[in-house]
Structure formats: structure tokens, C-alpha cells
Amino acid sequence: MPGRVVVITSGKGGVGKTTTTANLGAGLALEGYRVCLIDADIGLRNLDVVMGLENRIVYDLVDVVEGRARLRQALIHDKRVENLYLLPAAQTREKDAVNPEQMKELTAALAEEFDFVLVDSPAGIEHGFRNAVAGADEALVVTTPEVAAVRDADRIIGMLEARDLRNPRLIINRIRTDMVRRGDMMDIDDIIEILAIELLGVIPDDEAVIVATNRGEPVVLQSRGRCAEAYRNLVDRFLGKDVPIVALDGHSKLLERLRSWMALGRRPVSG
Amino acid sequence: MYILFDQTVDFLEALDELRRRLEGYQRFFEGGRVWIDTRGRSLSPMEWRLVEEVASQFGMEVAEVGCREPRGKRPPTVTPLRPRPASHPVDPEATRLVRGTIRSGQVVEHRGHVVILGDLNPGAIVRATGDVIVLGHLRGVVHAGASGNRSAQVWALRLEPTQLRIADLIARSPDDEHVPTGPEVARIVDGWIQVEAYEPGAQGGG
Ligand SMILES: Nc1ncnc2c1ncn2[C@@H]1O[C@H](COP(=O)(O)OP(=O)(O)O)[C@@H](O)[C@H]1O
Ligand SMILES: [Mg+2]
């Protein structure tokens, strides 16, 4: 059975797609799954930097598509985690060096070898987005708790649905409980009420993420820390385990209520 | 009423949703006729029966089941069974039913009334020559009576539009946060767009 091709997307840039891809991928690989990360942000690659694999790149995605390298040659094996591979983007090429048909072929070939193929999407809704979603079986939408980011997430969800990526799931990144409590930040239920999709996880805003990123080491690999925990939680929920969304002191009740509300929206046909 | 079944959606699921949404609005659609557009998908005799059942449950009669081929943008071309005065601005039965959330960047345009079975999110736009009814949370932009019909109305279970237009008038939400507690209707009263709580029976329901 081929693996699942999952696109990580957002609409607005800088909300944490690349960080999410790196951590979800590393987390899945730690669980023993075979995982390949694809950096589809051609021209602005940075998944390799976040993974600390920049100095190992010989070939990239465009080299594979244009036949200069075989897929296996271009895949970079992660230096820490068994079963984790990266297909880097080309730094120097234009976005239109690849088309959706080629991306479909590429992801299909990878899905033969891997349990999960995670595609890190570029920002925006144009060519790069079409490439990133081309071969995807499912989509994860990342947003921060900001009005503009949520608006763009909504836009993207509409576009995913139009492409038959029906039930995209949501990751809310960089939440700050202190600001939410003061009413200075959008609440989780405000966001869910607008986007009306399933919430897969909530990641706190934490400088540990930035420090880890600068070291080229996904934070999920750390043994302790609330972000590492939040990402492990995300991995579990992604794998279908019924774990509560990371307890954000006092917010779990609210989340329970939200989840039951979501479930209600997908009530089976009664007849 | 004009019903469009989305091909990609499970038939029974769509039907169930329709029934649920219609439940609170029995009187509103009573006596109406239903046209069904299945966008190229043909209905089995069983499915036919189910649609008729739901329609009759709400006092409506199935007039026609069409299987139009999918095309880019399709304003429904519905021929009413009874002739109407040509000057009538809107055929009250040419209603477009849209199922699901209308998201940011999406636009619904229609000659006639529009019923949304879901939310209208910020950044989304509905433009209709007739009334606009949102069986959900209206937070986007709505233009009702878009060809100049000042008697057009906008209904919503939660009416919090970014901006509201009826005919040639424009209104925006007040800056002090008014949070609606129930269904509301917006219409033109004395040359202003006014919003009031919807009381069943109070305004003759379209
Ligand atoms: N949960 C978080 N807490 C703190 N900083 C974060 C978090 N998630 C992402 N960041 C930081 O935000 C910036 C943008 O993240 P990135 O994953 O590159 O976004 P995108 O790929 O969507 O453009 C990076 O500097 C990253 O380290
Ligand atoms: Mg990125």
C-alpha cells in the first residue's frame, strides 16, 4: 500500500509551515515510520537549514524532475533519525521550473517507498501552491492566532476543498496563553468557529523553537520542554491516537467542548 | 426554490443536511416549488422518492429534476410554471441554495435569492438581485437587491457582516461591538439599512 502524501500549507508566510513539517516529520520517523520531507518552496529553500542538512545537498528536486539525478541520489538521509529523508528544493531556480504534473509523479514515486511524504508548501496561492498540493492525499493548514493569518488560512481551505482535498486539518502555531487570557490574542475557539475544520494540534509560542531551528535540530527531538511535547502530541493525533490536545493551562475544557462540536458537524446520516 | 446537489457530496448526506436546515423554516418555504439540479448526475428512482419526501415534509412540491452538465459559472435558468408579470424584479422561486461554508476570497453571484446553508466568512462576498439568507454566521460582505431592489432583505442566524449593501445603500457594522443573540434581518426602513431581531410571523417571511 502506498504511503500518505501530506501537504503542509498556510496562505500567509512565516506562520510555521517549515517548522511544522520538520517537527512532524522527525516525530513520525521517531515512531518508526519511513518519512520523506519535500521542500516545495523552490527558490527560497529552508527546510534543509531547519533540519541542519544544508551542507549535504548535492542534487535537488529540480535535478530529479529534469533527469539530472535519480530520486535516490537526491534524497538526503537525516543525520540523527533513522528512516527520515529530505528532498531539498533548488535554491537558484525559478518557481516555474517544476509543474504540478511532475510533482504528482514525484510524490507518487516517493509514496511507494515511504509511509509518509510531507510536502512543505511555499506561501501564497499561486504556482508554488499548485505544485505543493498537486500530489497530496491530504492537507494540514497552519495558522497563527492572528486575524490576517486566519483569513488567509480560510482562503487556502476554500482552495483545498475546490481541489478535492476535502477535510484539511488545522494546526494553530505560536499561541500565547498570557495574551489570550488578557484578550489580546485570538482564542482557539474564535479560530475554530471561523475555519470550521478539525483541529489537529496547538503549538505554543516558545523561543526554544527558534533556538532549535538555528541549531538545525527540530525541537521535537528534545526530551523535555512544552514545545517538544506539543509536537509529540501532534504526531500522536496525526497517527489517529486519541490524545487530548496539549493542555494549555485551563483551556482543555474548552477544547473538549470544541471537539464535541466538531463531531456533531459530521454526524452520520440518520436515515 | 432551486436546489443544486453538489456531485462530490454524498447524496444522503446532502439530503439530510437539507432537511435539518429546513426544519426551522417550515413556513418560509411552504407552498413553494422545488427545482433540483444534480449537475450531470442522475437520480435513481429511490433517490427521487427521498427528495420528494423531504420536499413534501416542508410543504413543497417537486417540479422538476434536471441533470445539467457541469459548466464554469452557471446562473440557474429556471422557467417558472406560472407566467409572471415581466416587470417583476426577481422571480421569487429562482433561489440558489449553497451548501457549506463560503470562505475568504469566494464570491457567490446570483440573479434571484440566495440561501447559504453554512457560514459566510470574512473576506467572502454574496451578491444577489433578491434576498440573501444565511443559515449560519454572516461575517462577510453581502449585497442584496443588487440590481436596485430596495425591498430586498438580508437574514442571518448571526448577522455580523463586515459590510452590508441593499440596493444602492451601504452600511457597515457599528464600531462598538454589538453581538447578536439571535436571528436578525436587515432591510431598508425610511431610506436607511436597519437591523432588527427576526420575529417569526412579524414580517411575512419573503
Ligand atoms: N511555535 C513557535 N514558537 C516560536 N517561534 C516559532 C514557532 N514556530 C515558528 N517559529 C519561528 O517563526 C519563523 C517562521 O517559521 P517558518 O516555519 O519558517 O514559517 P513558514 O515556513 O510558514 O514561512 C521562524 O523563525 C521560526 O523559528
Ligand atoms: Mg517555509
Side-chain angles (χ1 to χ4, degrees):
Chain A
M1 201 180 68
R4 280 153 72 182
V5 180
V6 184
V7 61
I8 290 96
T9 182
S10 71
K12 191 172 186 295
V15 298
K17 291 178 295 295
T18 299
T19 308
T20 303
T21 308
N23 281 286
L24 179 60
L28 287 167
L30 282 179
E31 294 280 312
Y33 293 94
R34 290 178 54 78
V35 180
C36 181
L37 312 178
I38 301 182
D39 190 346
D41 201 349
I42 295 164
L44 275 174
R45 74 169 193 224
N46 53 26
L47 185 53
D48 54 305
V49 179
V50 172
M51 298 294 297
L53 299 173
E54 187 182 14
N55 57 6
R56 302 175 187 219
I57 297 177
V58 180
Y59 298 109
D60 57 46
L61 191 153
V62 176
D63 290 324
V64 174
V65 163
E66 294 181 349
R68 276 187 303 277
R70 279 177 294 112
L71 193 45
R72 269 166 209 273
Q73 286 179 298
L75 290 180
I76 301 169
H77 190 193
D78 188 79
K79 55 191 178 191
R80 296 144 300 216
V81 188
E82 196 53 38
N83 294 339
L84 183 60
Y85 291 81
L86 169 72
L87 179 59
Q91 182 77 293
T92 51
R93 299 294 298 267
E94 297 295 316
K95 278 195 192 315
D96 53 13
V98 177
N99 66 41
E101 244 351 278
Q102 293 167 321
M103 280 300 285
K104 241 186 229 173
E105 264 171 49
L106 189 67
T107 50
L110 286 167
E112 292 298 323
E113 314 245 341
F114 291 91
D115 299 312
F116 296 103
V117 178
L118 306 186
V119 185
D120 182 17
S121 165
I125 54 175
E126 277 122 28
H127 192 82
F129 169 78
R130 287 198 293 274
N131 275 337
V133 302
D137 303 311
E138 55 191 288
L140 304 181
V141 175
V142 183
T143 187
T144 55
E146 292 161 278
V147 172
V150 171
R151 181 78 62 95
D152 288 352
D154 193 43
R155 181 102 198 254
I156 283 292
I157 294 165
M159 297 178 70
L160 291 169
E161 286 169 346
R163 274 155 209 278
D164 266 351
L165 282 164
R166 285 274 148 186
N167 298 305
R169 292 183 287 175
L170 183 69
I171 295 162
I172 300 175
N173 189 25
R174 308 196 73 160
I175 196 120
R176 286 181 55 178
T177 25
D178 52 333
M179 287 183 70
V180 172
R181 220 176 288 122
R182 288 200 305 269
D184 292 335
M185 185 177 259
M186 279 183 94
D187 203 338
I188 294 167
D189 66 345
D190 296 339
I191 299 169
I192 296 291
E193 215 234 325
I194 290 182
L195 298 181
I197 63 173
E198 186 186 332
L199 182 60
L200 190 65
V202 178
I203 310 296
D205 185 77
D206 193 328
E207 55 186 44
V209 173
I210 299 169
V211 174
T213 298
N214 289 340
R215 263 203 239 116
E217 198 179 287
V219 73
V220 72
L221 299 179
Q222 294 172 9
S223 55
R224 55 182 73 228
R226 53 186 192 144
C227 267
E229 201 142 302
Y231 279 117
R232 279 196 285 272
N233 242 287
L234 178 75
V235 169
D236 283 346
R237 290 179 60 83
F238 180 81
L239 290 170
K241 292 182 198 155
D242 189 22
V243 291
I245 286 172
V246 69
L248 291 162
D249 27 275
H251 272 256
S252 37
K253 257 228 182 65
L254 170 73
L255 289 169
E256 287 308 318
R257 190 171 65 76
L258 285 170
R259 285 165 62 202
S260 56
W261 178 76
M262 290 300 300
L264 209 69
R266 294 187 288 137
R267 189 162 59 111
V269 178
S270 52
Chain B
M1 169 161 58
Y2 181 87
I3 299 177
L4 212 142
F5 274 103
D6 192 332
Q7 250 182 307
T8 54
V9 172
D10 179 60
F11 174 79
L12 286 175
E13 200 185 297
L15 200 64
D16 193 48
E17 175 88 17
L18 175 65
R19 183 190 291 118
R20 241 183 299 147
R21 298 287 186 156
L22 281 175
E23 255 151 25
Y25 289 78
Q26 303 208 356
R27 303 223 338 261
F28 184 77
F29 293 109
E30 214 167 76
R33 278 195 176 77
V34 189
W35 280 264
I36 293 156
D37 182 348
T38 54
R39 292 219 190 145
R41 177 187 185 287
S42 59
L43 292 181
S44 73
M46 184 63 194
E47 290 172 333
W48 227 130
R49 283 252 320 278
L50 287 172
V51 175
E52 279 188 317
E53 223 165 79
V54 172
S56 70
Q57 202 178 324
F58 296 96
M60 298 186 292
E61 180 194 327
V62 180
E64 180 192 315
V65 177
C67 305
R68 283 161 226 264
E69 285 306 310
R71 262 202 291 130
K73 222 165 101 188
R74 53 199 97 72
T77 46
V78 174
T79 346
L81 296 183
R82 278 165 283 139
R84 302 194 163 276
S87 64
H88 199 291
V90 176
D91 171 7
E93 280 167 335
T95 295
R96 171 140 175 225
L97 192 71
V98 184
R99 186 178 178 278
T101 304
I102 314 295
R103 299 188 180 276
S104 176
Q106 297 178 337
V107 180
V108 174
E109 278 182 315
H110 179 61
R111 287 184 56 80
H113 306 304
V114 171
V115 179
I116 311 264
L117 305 181
D119 297 337
L120 184 74
N121 278 357
I125 301 173
V126 172
R127 207 174 287 122
T129 57
D131 297 344
V132 175
I133 300 171
V134 177
L135 301 184
H137 206 141
L138 194 172
R139 277 185 280 226
V141 173
V142 165
H143 192 178
S147 55
N149 178 5
R150 279 190 161 219
S151 60
Q153 303 182 345
V154 178
W155 312 54
L157 293 187
R158 289 282 180 283
L159 186 66
E160 288 183 277
T162 312
Q163 196 189 81
L164 206 59
R165 301 179 177 205
I166 298 179
D168 53 330
L169 299 185
I170 303 180
R172 61 169 175 78
S173 298
D175 287 330
D176 58 323
E177 280 187 30
H178 154 79
V179 180
T181 54
E184 290 181 318
V185 53
R187 51 197 175 135
I188 298 180
V189 179
D190 300 329
W192 296 92
I193 295 180
Q194 307 220 337
V195 174
E196 54 196 302
Y198 164 63
E199 290 163 34
Q203 53 242 325

